[in-house]
C-alpha cells in the first residue's frame, strides 16, 4: 500500500491510499469510499479478489479523518471534487467507485457529478437522501443510530452534544454482522480506531452531510450502478436501498435476505467481478 499526502487547490491535505498498478497496469481502478467513522484504507478482506481481477484500489481519508484536513460544512457532493483531484494527481482518467455505508452516498456523488470519469458505481448498504420523497428515512433504524442522526438534523451544536455522551451500541448489528466482525471483517478494527483517536470531528461532519442537501440527485447517475443491501440491516434499513434502486436509472439491486450492515460485505467479491466487467464502459 502506497500512502501519500495531496495538497488541494484550496490548501487542504488529502491523505491518499493506493495499491498501485502492479503487474496489471491496464487493470481497472476502483476508488473506495469508506464508512462512518473509518479512515480511507481500502478493504483488505477484498484484496485477494481484487488481485485476481487486476483491480487497483485508490482511496483517501475523507476530510477530518486520519491524515486529511477537516473541511467543516462539506456536503456529500464535495467528495466528487476531492476524488477528481486525487485521480488527476495520479494520472488516472477513468475509474469505478465503490462505497460502504456512509461511503455509499459519496460514491453516488462521484457517479452523478463526474459522468465523464466514472465507469460504474457500487453502493453497499448505503443511505438514501434525507429528503427522499416517499421514504420514511428512520423507519427500521436501530434506536441509537436514529438518535445520532436526529441530533445531526438539529444542527452542529446538537450533534456535538450528542457525541459527547455517545457510547457504542452493539445492538445496531445483527448476529450475522457480529460473526463477520469476529471473522474476515475484523479488519474494521484497523480503520475505526484511527478514525476516532483524535476526536469525533470527521464523524460529525459526515452525519451533518447525510441529513442536509447532498448537492446532487441520484437520478443524475448514468453509469451502470449496483446496489447491495442486507434485508436485516439495522444501521441503514433496506428501504434505503430500494428507494435508490427506484430512483437511479437502470440500477441493479441485490438484496441479501439474511444479511445485516456488515455481513452484506460478504457479497463484495461478486461486486468486484461486476465492476471488472464494466471497465470499458
Amino acid at each position: 500500500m502506497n500512502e501519500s499526502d495531496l495538497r488541494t487547490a484550496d490548501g487542504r491535505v488529502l491523505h491518499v491510499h493506493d495499491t498501485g498498478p502492479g503487474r496489471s497496469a491496464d487493470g481497472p481502478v476502483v476508488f473506495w469510499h469508506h464508512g462512518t467513522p473509518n479512515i480511507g484504507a481500502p478493504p483488505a478482506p477484498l484484496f485477494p479478489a481484487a488481485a485476481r481481477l487486476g483491480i487497483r484500489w485508490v482511496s483517501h481519508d475523507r476530510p477530518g479523518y486520519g491524515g486529511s484536513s477537516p473541511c467543516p460544512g462539506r456536503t456529500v457532493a464535495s467528495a466528487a471534487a476531492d476524488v477528481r483531484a486525487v485521480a488527476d494527481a495520479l494520472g488516472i482518467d477513468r475509474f469505478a467507485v465503490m462505497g460502504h455505508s456512509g461511503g455509499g452516498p459519496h460514491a453516488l456523488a462521484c457517479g452523478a457529478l463526474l459522468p465523464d470519469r466514472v465507469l460504474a458505481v457500487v453502493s453497499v448498504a448505503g443511505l438514501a437522501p434525507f429528503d427522499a420523497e416517499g421514504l420514511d428515512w428512520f423507519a427500521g433504524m436501530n434506536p441509537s443510530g436514529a438518535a445520532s442522526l436526529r441530533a445531526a438534523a438539529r444542527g452542529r451544536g446538537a450533534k456535538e452534544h450528542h457525541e459527547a455522551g455517545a457510547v457504542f451500541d452493539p445492538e445496531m448489528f445483527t448476529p450475522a454482522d457480529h460473526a463477520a466482525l469476529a471473522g474476515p471483517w475484523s479488519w474494521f478494527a484497523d480503520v475505526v480506531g484511527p478514525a476516532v483517536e483524535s476526536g469525533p470531528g470527521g464523524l460529525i461532519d459526515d452525519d451533518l452531510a447525510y441529513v442536509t442537501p447532498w448537492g446532487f440527485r441520484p437520478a443524475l447517475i448514468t453509469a451502470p450502478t449496483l446496489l447491495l443491501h442486507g434485508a436485516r440491516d439495522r444501521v441503514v434499513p433496506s428501504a434505503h436501498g430500494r428507494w435508490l434502486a427506484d430512483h437511479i436509472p437502470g440500477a441493479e439491486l441485490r438484496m441479501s435476505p439474511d444479511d445485516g450492515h456488515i455481513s452484506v460485505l460478504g457479497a463484495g467479491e461478486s461486486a468486484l467481478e461486476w465492476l471488472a466487467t464494466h471497465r470499458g464502459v
Side-chain angles (χ1 to χ4, degrees), residues 4-7 16 56 83-92 117:
S4 61
D5 289 331
L6 170 67
R7 181 76 61 175
V16 178
R56 173 184 179 180
V83 164
R84 181 171 54 208
V86 173
D88 288 348
L90 295 177
I92 299 169
R117 309 288 291 269

Side-chain angles (χ1 to χ4, degrees), residues 180-241:
L181 288 166
W185 290 94
S186 61
W187 164 81
F188 273 105
D190 297 332
V191 294
V192 172
V196 297
E197 64 185 10
S198 60
L203 180 156
I204 289 170
D205 287 338
D206 268 356
D207 282 0
L208 291 171
Y210 302 143
V211 299
T212 52
W214 283 8
F216 68 95
R217 293 184 298 109
L220 295 175
I221 299 172
T222 56
T225 300
L226 175 64
L227 306 166
L228 304 181
H229 223 109
R232 299 180 184 273
D233 196 327
R234 299 174 183 170
V235 179
V236 179
S238 60
H240 287 242

